[in-house]
Amino acid sequence: MEELYLFLRKKHPEIAVDVLCYNTNGVSSRENYQGLTIYRIPCWNILKDQFSLPNPLALLEFLFNHRHAYDLIHVSTRFFDSSWWAPFYAKLIGTRVI
């Protein structure tokens, strides 16, 4: 996914790409990496380094604060919770989801 996003940014530098993930290692909650903005949501590690669930209040706060920011939402985690809540979020904010 990183290569896809970096290729997209190279061909279309006007496009902003945000990556939302869970903060499983207690690192910075926001980071800029090669033109990508990475947001890390506090989470609960259910199975260390294998399965985590977001802190629901932190996730809702992030989604509420960024509800006008996206033209497209891409989800690439088929067996994790974001694969079921992201389509509802996209519909709620009136954007497309892949």
Side-chain angles (χ1 to χ4, degrees):
M1 294 315 314
E2 177 183 348
E3 289 178 18
L4 175 65
Y5 293 141
L6 292 176
F7 177 80
L8 178 67
R9 291 267 308 140
K10 185 176 181 180
K11 295 290 183 180
H12 301 280
E14 73 280 6
I15 294 175
V17 176
D18 291 349
V19 177
L20 178 64
C21 58
Y22 302 151
N23 197 349
T24 57
N25 295 319
V27 295
S28 174
S29 62
R30 182 179 173 168
E31 176 183 356
N32 289 313
Y33 174 77
Q34 296 187 16
L36 309 175
T37 304
I38 301 171
Y39 294 97
R40 295 182 185 94
I41 303 296
C43 66
W44 300 310
N45 286 313
I46 307 300
L47 296 172
K48 183 153 179 60
D49 297 330
Q50 294 181 31
F51 184 72
S52 301
L53 289 174
N55 175 311
L57 295 177
L59 178 62
L60 288 172
E61 179 182 8
F62 177 87
L63 295 175
F64 179 79
N65 289 335
H66 291 84
R67 67 188 179 278
H68 300 295
Y70 302 112
D71 297 319
L72 176 70
I73 296 175
H74 178 228
V75 181
S76 61
T77 52
R78 63 182 178 166
F79 293 121
F80 291 94
D81 63 294
S82 59
S83 63
W84 61 264
W85 62 254
F88 291 109
Y89 178 65
K91 185 171 180 115
L92 181 69
I93 65 171
T95 194
R96 296 168 289 171
V97 65
I98 297 174

